[in-house]
Amino acid sequence: MHQPPLPLTQDLVLIGGGHTHALVLRKWAMKPLPGARLTLINPGPTAPYSGMLPGFVAGHYTRDQLDIDLVRLAQAANARLILGSVTGIDPDSGTIQIDTHPPVGFDVVAVDVGITSDMPALPGFTDHAVPAKPLGPFAAKWDSFRKGTGPATVAIIGGGVAGAELAMAMAHALKLRKRPATIHLIDNATALSALPAKSATQLRAAIKALNIVLHENVQITHLGKHTISLDDGSSITAQFITGAAGARPYPWMAQTGLTTHDGFLTVNDRLQTSDPRIFAVGDCAHMAHAPRPKAGVYAVRQAPVLFHNLASSLSGGPLKTYVPQKDYLKLISLGKKSALGDRFGVTFTGPWVWDWKDRIDRKFMNQFDQLPKMPTPPLPYPRAKGVQQAMGPKPLCGGCGAKLGRDALSKSLATLKPTQRADITPLPGDDAALLNTGGARQVFTTDHLRSFWPDPAVMARIAAHHALGDIWAMGANPQAATLSITLPRLSETLAERTLTEVLTSAQTILQDAGADIVGGHSTFGDDLSIGLAVTGLLDREAITLGGAQDGAALILTKPIGTGVIMAALMSGKARGADVAGALDAMQQGQKTAAQILRDVAQAMTDLTGFGLAGHTQNICIASGLAATLTPDTIPLLSGALDLSERGEHSSLYANNRAGFSNIPDTRHTRLLFDPQTGGGLLAAVPADQAKTLIEKLHQNGHPDSAIIGHLHKGPTAQVSIA
């Protein structure tokens, strides 16, 4: 007898994508705890590896080599990834506050958010300098600066090992780009004082050899734009100012009510805070039982103990203790491909030390490139004829990539009898129904999405925007919505948490659009799915698919590519940053765009499952015209073109492609058949007004809007490319 999936009963939340949590996720992928729901919260889709930061700054590594792709890692661990910054933990209510998301409940939580080198107490630092930590924003801003031209001046505040590494790496990077550079390394005491004398001496020699100007025992009074003022009245000029001095905890941790030490979460030898449900690791934790300096080696070695203790806390097992080593190998980059090593007072240097460090760092990162995969179970035998063919060559996509193909849908709809009520205006093939009720004209539509991203709040926002697209496309104002929600098997507590996230997120989107939730239905099933039935009121004639005129320009308000990116996510071939970009696009509302277009649009639709070519053809059919699209002008999501070139596509692609034999097969044209979820508006507008409309759209939050082709006389329904 088939064993149904186990219900999820406990929420484990990992706050931060630091080194420890990255390793825990990898271990979880290989040995998950049945019945536990795993969530990772991180500000972005990637987490930079601190060990390779100096090499990145120097130009030895690319940004992709520096970053751990948390999207792929979370997918391998079957974890939901919430992209946002935690702003607080409330132990009393068992919830976590996030800046981009409704509060998330937890049963067990671990914190691994690292530190910041921001210096808010130093006047002008926040406005004029870039903290070296967190690493992600720093890496992005340095990458932009070093690609500039002309002479460069840089200042690093903090003369410890981290500051010295950055100074040498920056000097090397600017030399590679043939930019004359002056690098200042500034400390309010003696630089490199934490190192043994021999290592400090050799490091000073390396700094001097790179002509880095070392300022010791100086006091900074304030920072201005490109200026560091000192207490002796002198100043240092620098175009790029960063801070690598000390380690500061994130302020919210001290507001949790948990025991802290100088703002860092205090943990015991089992890595628990003063609340046994809450663990902390890495630089954000203070090990009261064995204080140690902030170093990545401790975070890495905490991972096996944390993984065991989290699983044991969720299942009721015994916990292990963590005993940190007394000393550790220090490998310090010297700018070029050379490094200095120090352990137990022994110092060694040279290119071979860099090679050793490089092998260690690449081995660590390779773990996250080669993630474990669950094998696909074989099909049962014997089985009914046609099962393998019906399953297709790839997994069924979610979102609009999972909807029925055009032929099956059209043939099924053709079996319906004509509408029998006088208060319904038939609009064959259009986005929504038009109802006439008591003199009011009402638009009515429904849309339903199966989850393709494991965060219920994000899926609720996407589903709401997706359903509203039909209302906006017809020129109506959203009025009311009912929701149909299917949850996977969950305990009562987890079901309440999940439903609250869905309803809160959907309500925010709907109320912003002017509509209210008025009812709905919920049930349990195999997967999360969210459907909305939405009504809208018309204060003008409805904009339909028909009505477009010969010569009309076609405007698209959002980039395309969600189908190919989410399909590649399922196969593990999409970059996390591209997935995040696609999710952002799907959560962008079309209220403003609709208000700009609806007074002039001759025909309009929202872009969904049939892809750009299919929806363009629908306008052509209803308006009795042909269309010519210009692929080079069509806005694309980052990563979509590359994935298309590599042969990635949604499971609905073949259905969408059928019937367009006059369009050649290229990496650009394949995206014309990419099914979209929460896509933009496609509007036919008078050609002489198109440029003005684009300018308005760009000025009002739709910077990717573009004129992508035009309609003209010709064989009805023919879509060609220029």
Side-chain angles (χ1 to χ4, degrees):
M1 186 175 180
H2 175 65
Q3 172 69 45
L6 293 176
L8 300 174
T9 61
Q10 295 279 297
D11 266 322
L12 169 60
V13 181
L14 305 180
I15 300 175
H19 305 351
T20 314
H21 281 176
L23 291 168
V24 166
L25 283 162
R26 195 179 191 283
K27 289 178 177 291
W28 194 276
M30 294 185 287
K31 191 179 179 182
L33 179 69
R37 177 168 65 176
L38 178 59
T39 297
L40 171 66
I41 306 170
N42 196 70
T46 60
Y49 169 49
S50 60
M52 295 173 78
L53 180 67
F56 166 77
V57 170
H60 306 317
Y61 303 119
T62 65
R63 184 62 196 271
D64 282 347
Q65 289 174 312
L66 174 70
D67 287 341
I68 299 171
D69 192 325
L70 296 178
V71 172
R72 292 185 63 240
L73 187 55
Q75 183 185 32
N78 196 27
R80 68 167 169 168
L81 173 59
I82 295 175
L83 298 176
S85 296
V86 168
T87 59
I89 300 176
D90 183 354
D92 293 335
S93 63
T95 58
I96 299 163
Q97 286 72 50
I98 311 167
D99 63 351
T100 60
H101 197 280
V104 170
F106 70 87
D107 296 292
V108 176
V109 63
V111 185
D112 184 16
V113 294
I115 54 176
T116 175
S117 53
D118 190 11
M119 303 177 197
L122 179 58
F125 185 92
T126 301
D127 293 329
H128 303 298
V130 182
K133 290 190 176 182
L135 301 182
F138 168 80
K141 290 181 179 179
W142 167 252
D143 203 27
S144 176
F145 177 80
R146 71 175 171 186
K147 290 177 180 176
T149 57
T153 52
V154 178
I156 301 97
I157 302 172
V161 171
E165 277 194 297
L166 285 179
M168 292 184 287
M170 290 171 165
H172 182 74
L174 294 170
K175 183 179 179 181
L176 283 179
R177 297 192 68 83
K178 295 180 171 55
R179 293 183 66 185
T182 302
I183 312 290
H184 298 274
L185 181 60
I186 308 166
D187 200 280
N188 61 6
T190 301
L192 305 172
S193 56
L195 282 176
K198 186 176 180 182
S199 293
T201 298
Q202 292 201 27
L203 208 50
R204 283 175 178 273
I207 289 170
K208 185 177 181 180
L210 287 166
N211 297 317
I212 294 167
V213 183
L214 180 59
H215 306 261
E216 298 182 88
N217 300 299
V218 298
Q219 300 297 320
I220 299 173
T221 58
H222 64 278
L223 271 60
K225 187 176 182 181
H226 305 324
T227 305
I228 301 173
S229 298
L230 306 179
D231 64 352
D232 63 2
S234 64
S235 63
I236 297 169
T237 300
Q239 299 159 316
F240 187 92
I241 303 171
T242 187
R248 194 172 71 87
Y250 289 97
W252 64 263
M253 293 192 295
Q255 300 165 8
T256 58
L258 301 170
T259 301
T260 58
H261 176 82
D262 294 333
F264 297 96
L265 294 173
T266 300
V267 297
N268 60 21
D269 61 356
R270 295 173 298 281
L271 306 176
Q272 293 169 299
T273 66
S274 51
D275 185 323
R277 300 170 301 165
I278 303 174
F279 294 74
V281 290
D283 287 349
C284 70
H286 168 69
M287 295 183 286
H289 65 291
R292 292 290 189 275
K294 304 301 181 185
V297 65
Y298 299 117
V300 170
R301 298 201 176 188
Q302 285 169 338
V305 175
L306 180 64
F307 173 75
H308 173 89
N309 288 353
L310 292 176
S312 291
S313 295
L314 293 163
S315 59
L319 304 186
K320 289 183 177 180
T321 58
Y322 169 70
V323 181
Q325 63 200 88
K326 292 183 178 180
D327 193 17
Y328 63 95
L329 174 65
K330 304 173 188 69
L331 295 173
I332 303 167
S333 297
L334 301 179
K336 59 182 178 180
K337 291 187 177 181
S338 182
L340 180 146
D342 178 282
R343 190 171 190 188
F344 299 127
V346 178
T347 303
F348 37 92
T349 186
W352 69 270
V353 184
W354 162 266
D355 292 339
W356 186 19
K357 173 177 168 52
D358 180 58
R359 284 195 299 272
I360 292 172
D361 290 337
R362 289 181 185 271
K363 182 179 179 181
F364 177 81
M365 291 298 285
N366 284 343
Q367 300 175 90
F368 307 110
D369 290 332
Q370 301 165 5
L371 295 171
K373 290 184 179 180
M374 294 297 290
T376 303
L379 292 175
Y381 187 85
R383 58 181 179 268
K385 292 184 289 185
V387 167
Q388 191 156 8
Q389 291 80 358
M391 289 184 68
K394 58 191 305 168
L396 182 67
C397 296
C400 280
K403 72 185 295 181
L404 292 179
R406 300 183 76 184
D407 287 348
L409 183 60
S410 299
K411 290 176 182 177
S412 297
L413 291 174
T415 65
L416 293 177
K417 296 177 181 178
T419 53
Q420 60 183 2
R421 295 183 59 94
D423 54 2
I424 298 176
T425 302
L427 298 171
D430 227 303
D431 294 293
L434 182 58
L435 313 179
N436 301 286
T437 308
R441 288 177 297 174
Q442 191 178 43
V443 173
F444 179 53
T445 186
T446 184
D447 260 307
H448 196 280
L449 296 179
R450 183 172 62 83
S451 179
F452 52 83
W453 181 252
D455 182 359
V458 168
M459 284 306 308
R461 289 195 285 261
I462 292 173
H465 282 307
H466 188 71
L468 287 168
D470 289 343
I471 304 297
W472 296 129
M474 296 190 73
N477 296 307
Q479 178 194 24
T482 59
L483 272 68
S484 176
I485 302 167
T486 302
L487 298 179
R489 296 189 68 198
L490 303 168
S491 68
E492 190 73 16
T493 299
L494 267 64
E496 179 186 345
R497 291 173 181 168
T498 305
L499 192 58
T500 299
E501 288 184 37
V502 169
L503 294 175
T504 301
S505 301
Q507 184 181 61
T508 299
I509 301 303
L510 290 164
Q511 288 192 338
D512 180 68
D516 281 307
I517 296 175
V518 296
H521 176 75
S522 61
T523 187
F524 286 113
D526 289 338
D527 299 296
L528 172 69
S529 62
I530 302 172
L532 292 92
V534 187
T535 61
L537 295 174
L538 279 166
D539 57 6
R540 66 194 66 222
E541 289 299 317
I543 305 170
T544 65
L545 293 174
Q549 302 297 307
D550 177 25
L554 288 170
I555 284 179
L556 179 63
T557 63
K558 276 192 191 184
I560 62 173
T562 60
V564 67
I565 290 173
M566 301 316 290
L569 170 68
M570 293 180 65
S571 61
K573 296 176 182 177
R575 294 175 66 250
D578 294 337
V579 173
L583 292 170
D584 283 344
M586 287 184 271
Q587 294 174 81
Q588 181 190 20
Q590 296 294 284
K591 177 180 179 179
T592 306
Q595 291 170 342
I596 291 171
L597 292 169
R598 66 185 180 184
D599 288 332
V600 293
Q602 300 167 353
M604 189 155 64
T605 184
D606 63 323
L607 215 60
T608 57
F610 298 144
L612 178 55
H615 287 286
T616 300
Q617 188 178 63
N618 287 345
I619 291 177
C620 290
I621 292 170
S623 301
L625 295 169
T628 298
L629 300 176
T630 311
D632 289 346
T633 66
I634 296 169
L636 305 177
L637 288 168
S638 175
L641 194 60
D642 177 61
L643 289 168
S644 176
E645 186 172 36
R646 287 156 49 189
E648 294 295 318
H649 56 77
S650 168
S651 52
L652 191 60
Y653 170 83
N655 272 300
N656 286 350
R657 185 68 171 90
F660 291 91
S661 57
N662 62 311
I663 296 180
D665 182 44
T666 71
R667 61 176 188 159
H668 276 91
T669 58
R670 287 177 205 137
L671 293 172
L672 301 180
F673 312 105
D674 189 53
Q676 303 303 293
T677 302
L681 296 173
L682 177 64
V685 303
D688 59 355
Q689 297 185 48
K691 288 185 178 179
T692 300
L693 290 168
I694 290 296
E695 289 173 2
K696 286 184 180 179
L697 288 165
H698 288 176
Q699 293 165 4
N700 288 275
H702 298 275
D704 296 304
S705 299
I707 300 168
I708 62 161
H710 66 283
L711 299 172
H712 51 86
K713 293 180 180 178
T716 297
Q718 180 174 292
V719 179
S720 306
I721 62 169

